[in-house]
Amino acid sequence: MNEFKEQIENGALARVGLLDATTIGAATALLKRVADSDLETVRVLFADQHGILRGKTIVADALPSIFTSGLAAPSTLLLKDTSHRTVFPIWSANSGINRNSEGNMAGAGDILMLPDPATFRILPWSPHSAWIFCDPRFKSGAVMPFSPRDMLKSAITKLAARNLDLMVGLEVEFHVFERTDQMLEHANATMPSQPAQTRNLTPGYQFLTEDRYAQAEPILDTLRRSCQAMNMHVRSMEIEMGPSQFEFTFDPADPLTHADNMMMFRAMVKEVCAARGLHATFMCRPNLENTAASGWHLHQSLVDRKTGRNMMIPNADGTISDEASGWIAGLLAYASESCLLTTPTINGYKRYRPHQLAPDRIQWGRDNRGAMIRGLMAAGDPASRIENRVAETAANPYYFFTSQILSGLDGLTSSLSAPDPVENPYETDAPYLPDSLLRAIQLFDRSKFYRSALGDAFVDYLTTIRQAEWNRYHLTVSEWEQAEYFGLY
């Protein structure tokens, strides 16, 4: 044990102050645990700008090296859109995201992957292997303006300065289909690759019916057990509304824990299902007959750091607390500008439709599933909270949670007050959510709030990537255009 500790303390990461005493202690204990185990490989990963895990796999004996020197990865991984195309001019002197000498990522040079021992998990479906998450940094160790975990940690620190913590609970909808063709022919290896061909796992619409659960129980049991083995505190497994649509919910936790959990959950579900001939997807609205859209409902409660009191509990007369009012008002005030962080794909905006148990306007209501924010608050109820129903399940959880903290915190510091709750969310004159990714890009790009809170470097970076995706999308001839004009003209 002391040998590992000395090795880490004498390493390059510790010498430049990138590992504190707590991290060194945790890393030392982890290395001893791995040395005494039968583990063969460790997948050293980071969450990219899209909330996709990327990284390298090392043999278990090499694990000490990532705590002494970190691990290198190509910087271009952070410069790609969802097709894996690099959208910045990396072969020019200025890559387009330079803000200082450290930020010059031209030439496809390396970044540093800085490991977090708290994220280490042995994989139940592949027990000879494990995951460990890292923070992507510049080679010097300096924080990148677009590093997802670092960005969320910064937002959490800002909230703590107000003597507040945020607790979040996850409700995550997704689909699992039977795979009929994995599309592995050479011609299918495009960018992006051709999607798998599938059929439903269970017949028809489900609506929480027991017999549908029984049919899907084998895979749901496997997913649940994997969550539990990885210390993700799953609460329920549900047969959702649509065909082959499911939902997992999780006990409340702090934002960083649940952002990591969301990354682990999505990757675990896809990997476990793929190994069983199934295809799992967190795409919001698959282009398949009779499918339903999937949403991500984020429960939120504010907690006083000193007393542990839930600040979302209403007053004795039932009126909402000042803290709840300010937090809701902040989320509403910046909802449109936040959509690039909560709903980052072209597909996600096809969920914002009336009468679909999804929001289409910026408003809140009491226990109302049609409103963007659903208030679940009652006097004396220690579980009082709000539920933001705006996000798609493909969202980067670190960016999503950051948007909630910064928006809600601004509502508090600016002493904003929530409007009256709505009862008929699809019949109000409340402003609409953005109707497309293009509109979300424009609003985020022009946002004085996010340029101040997150910096010009991040705003310019993310809008460049998403604009590249939009350009590819709208310049492609669609099936609708072919059907509409090919015969007519």
Side-chain angles (χ1 to χ4, degrees):
M1 191 110 167
N2 288 335
E3 176 187 349
F4 289 131
K5 187 171 187 289
E6 291 176 7
Q7 198 173 351
I8 297 171
E9 290 177 335
N10 293 327
L13 298 183
R15 286 200 308 271
V16 297
L18 293 177
L19 301 178
D20 59 21
T22 301
T23 303
I24 291 173
T28 301
L30 174 58
L31 293 179
K32 176 65 165 59
R33 174 187 169 194
V34 170
D36 293 340
S37 74
D38 296 326
L39 201 68
E40 298 176 20
T41 59
V42 180
R43 307 177 195 182
V44 185
L45 307 169
F46 68 90
D48 77 354
Q49 57 278 14
H50 307 293
I52 301 299
L53 288 176
R54 301 183 189 269
K56 301 179 179 182
T57 299
I58 62 175
V59 297
D61 289 345
L63 188 60
S65 67
I66 74 166
F67 290 107
T68 58
S69 305
L71 190 63
S75 61
T76 52
L77 296 176
L78 292 165
L79 306 179
K80 296 182 181 297
D81 66 7
T82 48
S83 73
H84 306 296
R85 289 176 169 84
T86 301
V87 301
F88 292 88
I90 61 167
W91 302 117
S92 66
N94 186 336
S95 65
I97 57 172
N98 302 32
R99 293 292 167 180
N100 51 50
S101 59
E102 288 180 317
N104 190 344
M105 299 174 75
D110 282 339
I111 59 171
L112 174 70
M113 295 167 61
L114 182 65
D116 182 351
T119 64
F120 180 87
R121 298 289 191 279
I122 293 176
L123 307 183
W125 64 97
S126 183
H128 71 282
S129 191
W131 281 339
I132 189 167
F133 286 3
C134 300
D135 295 322
R137 298 285 182 89
F138 291 122
K139 284 191 289 187
S140 66
V143 175
M144 294 178 169
F146 37 82
S147 170
R149 293 185 88 241
D150 284 315
M151 182 178 292
L152 177 56
K153 285 186 278 189
S154 175
I156 292 169
T157 299
K158 291 178 181 178
L159 188 61
R162 281 288 302 257
N163 192 41
L164 292 170
D165 284 328
L166 180 66
M167 296 295 289
V168 296
L170 309 185
E171 288 186 10
V172 185
E173 297 173 348
F174 59 101
H175 289 87
V176 178
F177 300 109
E178 181 182 328
R179 190 175 61 225
T180 59
D181 187 346
Q182 199 169 348
M183 304 294 282
L184 294 180
E185 299 300 324
H186 295 298
N188 297 326
T190 51
M191 293 178 65
S193 59
Q194 296 301 299
Q197 299 298 301
T198 62
R199 68 176 185 177
N200 288 327
L201 196 63
T202 59
Y205 271 70
Q206 303 176 128
F207 293 101
L208 299 179
T209 50
E210 165 61 13
D211 66 325
R212 296 292 189 268
Y213 182 89
Q215 293 172 35
E217 187 175 41
I219 186 60
L220 295 178
D221 278 348
T222 301
L223 298 177
R224 170 185 54 80
R225 290 169 184 147
S226 295
C227 286
Q228 292 169 328
M230 296 174 70
N231 200 34
M232 291 187 285
H233 298 290
V234 63
R235 176 178 291 233
S236 69
M237 301 73 57
E238 301 173 13
I239 295 289
E240 256 298 326
M241 178 179 70
S244 281
Q245 187 182 42
F246 308 101
E247 179 181 81
F248 271 48
T249 70
F250 296 85
D251 288 340
D254 65 275
L256 186 60
T257 293
H258 261 337
D260 288 342
N261 283 343
M262 184 62 171
M263 293 298 305
M264 293 182 186
F265 180 69
R266 286 195 306 217
M268 177 274 290
V269 169
K270 291 182 74 67
E271 292 182 21
V272 168
C273 289
R276 286 158 176 76
L278 306 174
H279 179 78
T281 182
F282 292 82
M283 177 182 180
C284 179
R285 196 178 187 91
N287 185 22
L288 301 170
E289 288 182 277
N290 301 314
T291 51
S294 292
W296 180 0
H297 308 147
L298 186 68
H299 295 253
Q300 307 177 35
S301 59
L302 283 174
V303 178
D304 186 292
R305 288 174 63 87
K306 292 181 179 178
T307 66
R309 183 170 70 91
N310 182 356
M311 312 296 282
M312 295 294 190
I313 298 175
N315 302 311
D317 62 359
T319 57
I320 64 173
S321 67
D322 291 342
E323 292 82 6
S325 179
W327 193 264
I328 292 170
L331 295 184
L332 296 177
Y334 300 109
S336 290
E337 297 163 52
S338 298
C339 268
L340 201 62
L341 306 177
T342 66
T343 314
T345 75
I346 289 166
N347 183 255
Y349 293 86
K350 296 173 182 179
R351 171 174 163 261
Y352 294 162
R353 298 181 179 182
H355 311 292
Q356 295 292 316
L357 296 178
D360 69 342
R361 278 159 254 213
I362 301 170
Q363 55 199 343
W364 82 282
R366 296 182 185 275
D367 197 8
N368 193 315
R369 285 183 168 87
M372 189 190 94
I373 294 177
R374 178 187 176 206
L376 297 166
M377 301 173 288
D381 181 3
S384 291
R385 63 201 184 278
I386 63 167
E387 175 191 67
N388 194 341
R389 300 172 62 83
V390 74
E392 63 171 324
T393 52
N396 182 320
Y398 306 100
Y399 291 168
F400 175 24
F401 294 178
T402 295
S403 75
Q404 301 302 279
I405 292 173
L406 296 179
S407 298
L409 183 57
D410 189 80
L412 295 176
T413 57
S414 300
S415 299
L416 301 182
S417 297
D420 292 335
V422 300
E423 294 184 4
N424 300 303
Y426 301 121
E427 299 176 7
T428 72
D429 59 359
Y432 282 82
L433 288 161
D435 61 357
S436 69
L437 179 64
L438 177 61
R439 182 58 179 153
I441 292 168
Q442 294 168 341
L443 291 167
F444 189 68
D445 186 38
R446 300 169 190 167
S447 173
K448 294 180 180 179
F449 172 70
Y450 278 117
R451 287 193 175 275
S452 173
L454 297 177
D456 290 332
F458 176 74
V459 173
D460 292 345
Y461 162 81
L462 196 62
T463 53
T464 297
I465 288 175
R466 295 304 181 190
Q467 185 68 51
E469 293 171 20
W470 177 263
N471 291 345
R472 283 193 297 109
Y473 168 71
H474 87 85
L475 291 176
T476 301
V477 177
S478 66
E479 293 179 9
W480 186 93
E481 292 169 272
Q482 186 75 0
E484 189 80 3
Y485 306 127
F486 190 61
L488 180 65
Y489 292 111

